[in-house]
Amino acid sequence: RNGRSAGQKMAILTVEDIGASAEAVMFTDCYAKFGHLLESDQPKFILGRIDHSRGDPQIIVDKMSPVDGSPLEKGRLRVIVRSETLNGSGRGVIEQLSAMSDPERPTPEEVERVPIDVLVETPESWIELRPSEDRRVALTPETVRTLSDMLGLGTVRLLGGVSIELNKKDDRRRRA
């Protein structure tokens, strides 16, 4: 293309999650900053905006971060306990969650501890448990891996947090 980015690298990606896939575009500035993350197949967080100008919606990528990166705005950690995947071990799992969120549990000073919500899913209903605010878990990739291994894929979510630093002066994120 012509213009200030002529001859520079960009990327067109297909991104997918459990439910769907979409096309994404990394323009030259974004590619220069985050293109190295495309070298691995590890999951990533993408922050961008939807562009409808070319027919099918596309994601214009502004920022990218590995999933193992620590969130910058913390939020709450929600874990989903599904009765069918626990096969009768629900009580033990709840005890492990309680131990992980114990206010007396030692945590390195630089590790952020966030509130935890537990959503228990049964065939008949959902039950939300919100422990007191002093019950927090260390927000680290190891904690998320441990919880995912214990509870299954898709059972650990960050609510109200942002995993990628936002450029506060970027007005594009305010557009509808």
Side-chain angles (χ1 to χ4, degrees):
R1 301 223 169 191
N2 48 8
R4 74 173 180 90
S5 300
Q8 295 183 19
K9 287 186 178 181
M10 62 177 282
I12 298 174
L13 317 166
T14 299
V15 295
E16 58 185 35
D17 64 8
I18 293 172
S21 65
E23 294 298 312
V25 178
M26 290 178 76
F27 288 111
T28 57
D29 291 342
C30 182
Y31 185 82
K33 289 179 190 173
F34 305 108
H36 67 281
L37 295 174
L38 300 175
E39 294 172 6
S40 82
D41 287 338
Q42 295 300 313
K44 295 150 191 72
F45 289 113
I46 293 176
L47 182 67
R49 59 197 187 288
I50 303 295
D51 177 22
H52 295 278
S53 67
R54 294 176 183 89
D56 290 335
Q58 285 185 318
I59 302 168
I60 306 299
V61 179
D62 291 324
K63 309 235 183 212
M64 186 180 287
S65 169
V67 168
D68 281 352
S70 293
L72 298 174
E73 294 181 25
K74 304 306 181 207
R76 303 179 74 83
L77 199 63
R78 169 166 284 170
V79 295
I80 301 170
V81 179
R82 295 190 171 111
S83 62
E84 72 272 3
T85 59
L86 296 180
N87 199 22
S89 63
R91 183 180 182 96
V93 166
I94 297 296
E95 288 172 358
Q96 284 180 295
L97 288 171
S98 179
M100 289 177 80
S101 64
D102 185 345
E104 302 299 318
R105 185 181 177 119
T107 304
E109 200 171 294
E110 67 276 2
V111 173
E112 183 77 22
R113 291 176 62 91
V114 297
I116 184 170
D117 296 342
V118 180
L119 195 61
V120 180
E121 179 184 326
T122 68
E124 299 83 31
S125 63
W126 292 74
I127 303 159
E128 184 174 7
L129 307 174
R130 275 216 172 167
S132 63
E133 283 295 315
D134 66 334
R135 304 296 289 196
R136 293 171 171 257
V137 293
L139 188 57
T140 64
E142 293 79 26
T143 299
V144 173
R145 265 191 230 101
T146 299
L147 290 169
S148 292
D149 290 346
M150 186 169 54
L151 300 169
L153 289 176
T155 58
V156 182
R157 298 190 177 131
L158 183 65
L159 300 178
V162 176
S163 60
I164 304 170
E165 185 175 0
L166 296 174
N167 180 351
K168 303 294 184 192
K169 296 177 182 175
D170 189 349
D171 289 334
R172 292 178 298 187
R173 62 189 175 91
R174 291 190 184 92
R175 281 192 230 158

